[in-house]
């Protein structure tokens, strides 16, 4: 049996967890803000905007990755501004993997949190406003505590989606060892190169992480 280089083995795991943690925090904030606004206000074009929000859920990840590659590449104004700000292109960095994870996880987080916010009794929120509470105070002290199960579920979904993201990540972050190689891309390359042992080790690692995550989720939702 081939000897496993544990340093090489550990890197994709550490990077995947890093990407999942960072992306899940950002997508929870962005998705939560969008869900809160969409569950509260009606305006012309709302259906069109919400359809756009949910589009990454049905698009192939490679298509999402291609669109991100065009939007964030050096030839786009977004890519130019990001390169000027970070002094390097965001493409083929671990930051690109974070962006890919945010985009593909956004629909799941958004829809879950919107459902949670919509289930909150509006009379309780109105009662808070009638006592002089600001919208931020209503959100912090009434809406979020009552919708905490949905918020927890949204975060876990965002984390899990970021951990398992492959297609879009491969398109804009690549599979550079010790730089952008995440667990899903590492498993893919190991299988392609015929290294079944290493592929099984990495697959086992992501299964264990996912199992612990689901165990935690079940405990939280039932408590």
């Amino acid at each position: 049996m081939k000897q496993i280089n544990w340093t090489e083995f550990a890197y994709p795991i550490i990077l995947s967890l890093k990407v999942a943690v960072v992306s899940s925090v950002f997508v929870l904030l962005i998705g939560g803000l969008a869900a809160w606004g969409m569950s509260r206000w009606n305006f012309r074009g709302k259906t069109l905007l919400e359809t756009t929000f949910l589009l990454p859920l049905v698009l192939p990840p490679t298509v999402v990755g291609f669109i991100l590659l065009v939007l964030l590449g050096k030839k786009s104004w977004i890519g130019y501004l990001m390169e000027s700000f970070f002094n390097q292109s965001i493409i083929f960095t671990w930051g690109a993997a974070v962006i890919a994870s945010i985009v593909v996880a956004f629909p799941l987080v958004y829809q879950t949190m919107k459902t949670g916010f919509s289930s909150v009794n509006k009379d309780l929120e109105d009662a808070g406003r009638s006592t002089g509470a600001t919208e931020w105070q209503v959100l912090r002290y009434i809406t979020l505590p009552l919708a905490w199960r949905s918020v927890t579920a949204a975060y876990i979904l965002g984390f899990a989606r970021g951990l398992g993201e492959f297609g879009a990540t491969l398109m804009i972050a690549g599979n550079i060892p010790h730089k952008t190689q995440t667990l899903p891309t590492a498993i893919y390359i190991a299988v392609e190169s015929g290294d079944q042992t290493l592929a099984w080790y990495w697959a086992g690692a992501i299964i264990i992480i996912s199992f612990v995550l689901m165990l935690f989720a079940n405990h939280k939702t039932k408590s």
Side-chain angles (χ1 to χ4, degrees):
M1 184 174 66
K2 180 181 176 181
Q3 185 69 30
I4 300 295
N5 184 323
W6 295 108
T7 302
E8 299 287 333
F9 169 77
Y11 186 85
I13 299 174
I14 295 171
L15 181 61
S16 290
L17 290 173
K18 182 179 177 181
V19 168
V21 168
V22 175
S23 64
S24 60
V25 170
F26 275 102
V27 77
L28 186 72
L29 294 174
I30 299 169
L33 183 61
W36 179 72
M38 294 291 277
S39 65
R40 291 296 178 271
W41 302 313
N42 290 312
F43 52 89
R44 182 175 296 180
K46 180 178 178 180
T47 301
L48 182 62
L49 181 59
E50 187 163 46
T51 302
T52 304
F53 284 167
L54 298 176
L55 198 56
L57 191 62
V58 296
L59 284 176
T62 49
V63 174
V64 175
F66 172 71
I67 294 172
L68 289 175
L69 190 61
V70 173
L71 291 176
L72 302 177
K74 292 183 178 181
K75 293 183 179 180
S76 72
W77 66 270
I78 299 176
Y80 175 78
L81 288 177
M82 294 186 76
E83 186 171 357
S84 300
F85 184 78
F86 293 106
N87 202 29
Q88 68 172 30
S89 174
I90 194 69
I91 300 298
F92 301 124
T93 65
W94 78 274
V98 170
I99 293 173
S101 296
I102 289 173
V103 172
V104 297
F106 178 84
L108 293 172
V109 173
Y110 165 78
Q111 193 63 31
T112 303
M113 294 192 72
K114 184 188 173 189
T115 301
F117 289 153
S118 298
S119 67
V120 174
N121 191 327
K122 301 298 183 293
D123 291 338
L124 294 176
E125 294 178 323
D126 290 338
R129 295 185 185 98
S130 68
T131 62
T134 63
E135 287 299 321
W136 164 247
Q137 290 172 324
V138 170
L139 175 65
R140 181 181 178 184
Y141 296 108
I142 299 175
T143 308
L144 286 177
L146 292 175
W148 73 268
R149 291 179 186 272
S150 294
V151 174
T152 302
Y155 177 79
I156 292 171
L157 284 172
F159 186 95
R161 191 66 183 87
L163 184 68
E165 166 50 31
F166 174 74
T169 299
L170 190 62
M171 290 288 288
I172 68 169
N175 182 47
I176 307 171
H178 290 194
K179 188 176 180 182
T180 65
Q181 188 179 64
T182 59
L183 266 173
T185 56
I187 293 170
Y188 174 78
I189 294 301
V191 172
E192 283 288 294
S193 62
D195 195 341
Q196 296 288 330
T197 301
L198 189 56
W200 270 114
Y201 273 114
W202 274 325
I206 202 169
I207 289 170
I208 291 171
I209 294 169
S210 301
F211 180 82
V212 171
L213 190 65
M214 292 306 299
L215 194 64
F216 175 78
N218 287 332
H219 173 73
K220 283 297 182 182
T221 54
K222 290 179 181 178
S223 61

